[in-house]
Amino acid sequence: MKHSEDLREILHRIDRRSYPAYKDTAGAYQFGSYVLSIDHVQGDPFAAPSKVSVHIDGAKAGFPSDMTGKKHTRIALADALIRRFGREAEQHSHKAKGSGKSGLLSVSRPGQEVLARSACEIEPDSGDLVVRLEVGFPANGRTINAGELEKILFRFLPECVQQSLFYKTADKKHLEAVKELAEDQYYIRQQLKERGLTAFVADGSVLPRESGVSDRPMKQAVKFCTPESMQVVMELPHAGTVKGMGIPRGVTLIVGGGYHGKSTLLKALERGVYNHIAGDGREYVITDDTAVKIRAEDGRSIRHTDISMFINGLPNGKDTRAFQTEDASGSTSQAANVIEAMEAGTKLFLIDEDTSATNFMIRDELMSRVVHKEMEPITPFIDRVEELFTSYGISTILVAGSCGSYFYKADHVIQMMQYVPSEITEAAKKEAARFADFAKDKPKLQESVPPDFARVFAADRKAALNDRMKIKGMGKDAVSIDRDTIELRYVEQLVDSEQTMALGYMVKYAKQRLFDGKKDLKAVVDMLVKIVEQKGIGAVCEGRYLPCNLAMPRVQEIYACLNRCRGLRIATIHGPGMRINCAFRENMIQE
């Protein structure tokens, strides 16, 4: 390995030469207590910044094993370190002058959620630490300004490293609090399983957000207060006694007038699949981490999904056991989203009436009398919600503002009034009983066939063999892989654009290495997750260096992304008596 003085000599040698000479600096250099690696050098001062990483031996970093040993505390520590490093780097960014992106010091900027990121990774056994960042190598025009880069690499960056990445200089009290919060959050997640709960919302939580463009807590917001009948007490390892609302498994209805906090509560539960930083207000809003927000998604692509549980007997004769379309309607898209979430292993549906297809959610008695049941191909969600729980163990939390029919199905009813919840289950049931029996004169519900998940995919082999497939993130809305754009704007539990980028690399890896026309989707996703858990997110990023802008998505979002990828083809589908041949012909043939 080269020494830092070797790098200094290179900088002196290439000073004032044309910009491509910066490529001579690529390599690893020992800087006292850490190693600086220049992984990729930008080709132009106006191009994407150079990629740099800092590597520190675990013994030198010195972080205690109780912070690095367990996954949840390790991720929390890495998150805290990257936030601190980012604050230090911001003070030095653009202090070195030049054209284009000269002087930039940029590192991942985490939001309110705590996510595993490529920007900072810690080895569980050794405690070895790596931080990845971007640096704009300075230039005057397109001429190297080595003196300014020397200022960055030999003065600014060492200050950032020493102040933020070593335990001896860290705010130990803060890091201990980070670790304890992570352990408390993990404890609540375990308690959800043991107590038969789908979610927990602690008293005093701040659920409203600052604005539509800010995810920080709203100032002077009404703090959450649990209805006495739903109160659960948690004895946390560090925070001690915490009281809050426990939402049991089953069907839970959230009702109330407009602007009273129904959707705010549901949004907090959506985000509760992730841990949140201290001061967010939702630190102890913890949801079953397999929960999936279900909504209508007009126009999405659907690939041979068995939606017959909800839609059957289409007028055009299209078989819904292997339904496919490039332009789904509200009802077919929501049906597919339910089935795909089941395939992804969810145990909780989160649904807001406002973002659902009305004809998918409910069909009232009068409409059933006017338009006869046999003429309606849709079996609404209300007719399956109990079956989903009793047969599949999948609970539902539903926000309803105008549809009272779900009162008959709900195990628990929560009313929001001015952001304060109250349980009204008994009152709602009594009021519902005053009306004619919901099941009276209704035709017998058609029995559902368990959805078939054995979809076998194959990639376009010509594209898969192209190692130069480009990945471009479009915020949280989409990711483009070569010419294939995967729309993700309605996958609402993606909370960071870095998750979207990570999904792009996973899809690329799967297309090149895993989809072969023999494995079904579950096998592919299981392999992806296993690879990443064992080797890190870098295992699916084939290149000379690991991007610094990746955050780990959940298994459910990996499924969602692959299901929306138009670049994949179905090789075989094992439906009831149906098969699609391996030549990808669209016609179905009876076996």
Side-chain angles (χ1 to χ4, degrees), residues 20 32 44 82 108 145 148 152 199 206 247 279 283 304 332 338 365 367-368 370-371 402 432 483 489 503 529 552 557:
D44 184 277
I82 204 63
S108 177
N145 188 335
E148 292 297 283
I152 294 172
V206 178
I247 302 180
E283 299 96 312
H304 296 278
T332 56
V338 168
E365 187 67 25
M367 184 60 71
S368 296
V370 175
V371 180
S402 60
R483 293 184 177 88
R489 72 184 65 193
L503 286 171
V529 172
M552 190 63 192
E557 278 68 57

Side-chain angles (χ1 to χ4, degrees), residues 44-205:
D44 184 277
F46 300 92
S50 300
K51 308 299 186 286
V52 171
S53 55
V54 173
H55 303 255
I56 304 176
D57 180 85
K60 294 179 180 178
F63 293 99
S65 59
D66 64 346
M67 293 184 180
T68 63
K70 296 178 181 178
K71 183 178 179 180
H72 54 279
T73 55
R74 187 166 63 251
I75 291 174
L77 173 61
D79 178 84
L81 295 181
I82 204 63
R83 291 175 192 270
R84 174 67 188 275
F85 187 90
R87 290 192 293 270
E88 294 291 331
E90 191 173 4
Q91 298 178 29
H92 297 287
S93 188
H94 292 296
K95 290 290 182 66
K97 305 300 181 181
S99 53
K101 294 183 173 62
S102 294
L104 174 71
L105 271 172
S106 176
V107 71
S108 177
R109 289 288 189 268
Q112 301 297 100
E113 289 79 18
V114 178
L115 304 174
R117 299 177 185 271
S118 62
C120 183
E121 293 182 324
I122 303 171
E123 285 293 324
D125 297 324
S126 64
D128 293 350
L129 184 151
V130 57
V131 168
R132 299 179 178 88
L133 65 153
E134 294 182 326
V135 177
F137 283 15
N140 297 324
R142 286 182 169 81
T143 300
I144 287 174
N145 188 335
E148 292 297 283
L149 182 57
E150 186 174 359
K151 190 187 300 183
I152 294 172
L153 300 183
F154 287 82
R155 197 171 93 201
F156 298 162
L157 191 56
E159 287 182 18
C160 295
V161 172
Q162 294 299 331
Q163 290 300 315
S164 58
L165 302 182
F166 291 92
Y167 187 64
K168 62 182 179 182
T169 56
D171 182 341
K172 297 177 180 61
K173 186 176 180 180
H174 171 69
L175 292 184
E176 186 66 20
V178 166
K179 183 205 76 169
E180 290 180 355
L181 177 57
E183 290 179 339
D184 284 347
Q185 290 166 334
Y186 179 79
Y187 177 84
I188 296 175
R189 292 196 185 279
Q190 299 305 112
Q191 287 295 300
L192 293 184
K193 299 184 178 87
E194 293 182 17
R195 301 192 189 193
L197 301 175
T198 62
F200 175 80
V201 184
D203 286 349
S205 296

Side-chain angles (χ1 to χ4, degrees), residues 6 62 78 121 178 230 249 262 293 319 341 437:
D6 297 322
E121 293 182 324
V178 166
M230 298 187 73
R249 297 176 68 230
K262 303 185 304 296
K293 169 68 183 299
D319 195 316
D437 182 17

Side-chain angles (χ1 to χ4, degrees), residues 133-333:
L133 65 153
E134 294 182 326
V135 177
F137 283 15
N140 297 324
R142 286 182 169 81
T143 300
I144 287 174
N145 188 335
E148 292 297 283
L149 182 57
E150 186 174 359
K151 190 187 300 183
I152 294 172
L153 300 183
F154 287 82
R155 197 171 93 201
F156 298 162
L157 191 56
E159 287 182 18
C160 295
V161 172
Q162 294 299 331
Q163 290 300 315
S164 58
L165 302 182
F166 291 92
Y167 187 64
K168 62 182 179 182
T169 56
D171 182 341
K172 297 177 180 61
K173 186 176 180 180
H174 171 69
L175 292 184
E176 186 66 20
V178 166
K179 183 205 76 169
E180 290 180 355
L181 177 57
E183 290 179 339
D184 284 347
Q185 290 166 334
Y186 179 79
Y187 177 84
I188 296 175
R189 292 196 185 279
Q190 299 305 112
Q191 287 295 300
L192 293 184
K193 299 184 178 87
E194 293 182 17
R195 301 192 189 193
L197 301 175
T198 62
F200 175 80
V201 184
D203 286 349
S205 296
V206 178
L207 307 188
R209 297 295 92 186
E210 192 172 60
S211 70
V213 295
S214 172
D215 200 36
R216 290 178 294 186
M218 179 184 288
K219 296 177 181 177
Q220 299 180 333
V222 175
K223 293 184 178 180
F224 192 84
C225 182
T226 302
E228 185 176 348
S229 59
M230 298 187 73
Q231 189 177 87
V232 169
V233 179
M234 297 277 186
E235 295 294 340
L236 305 187
H238 303 287
T241 302
V242 173
K243 299 179 181 180
M245 182 174 73
I247 302 180
R249 297 176 68 230
V251 180
T252 299
L253 199 60
I254 302 174
V255 300
Y259 305 99
H260 279 266
K262 303 185 304 296
S263 295
T264 299
L265 173 56
L266 189 74
K267 179 63 72 174
L269 295 175
E270 290 173 29
R271 297 296 183 92
V273 298
Y274 303 107
N275 289 346
H276 289 81
I277 59 173
D280 171 78
R282 300 168 295 184
E283 299 96 312
Y284 298 128
V285 178
I286 305 294
T287 309
D288 183 317
D289 53 19
T290 69
V292 174
K293 169 68 183 299
I294 300 294
R295 59 164 297 153
E297 195 174 342
D298 300 68
R300 66 153 287 193
S301 169
I302 298 174
R303 294 292 182 202
H304 296 278
T305 301
D306 184 354
I307 61 172
S308 60
M309 174 183 277
F310 297 100
I311 301 177
N312 254 310
L314 293 177
N316 58 11
K318 201 167 188 177
D319 195 316
T320 57
R321 291 173 296 176
F323 186 80
Q324 66 171 11
T325 180
E326 293 297 329
D327 187 18
S329 67
S331 58
T332 56
S333 64

Side-chain angles (χ1 to χ4, degrees), residues 492-505:
E492 296 185 5
Q493 287 165 289
L494 283 173
V495 296
D496 197 298
S497 59
E498 293 190 0
Q499 290 178 301
T500 310
M501 283 298 297
L503 286 171
Y505 280 98

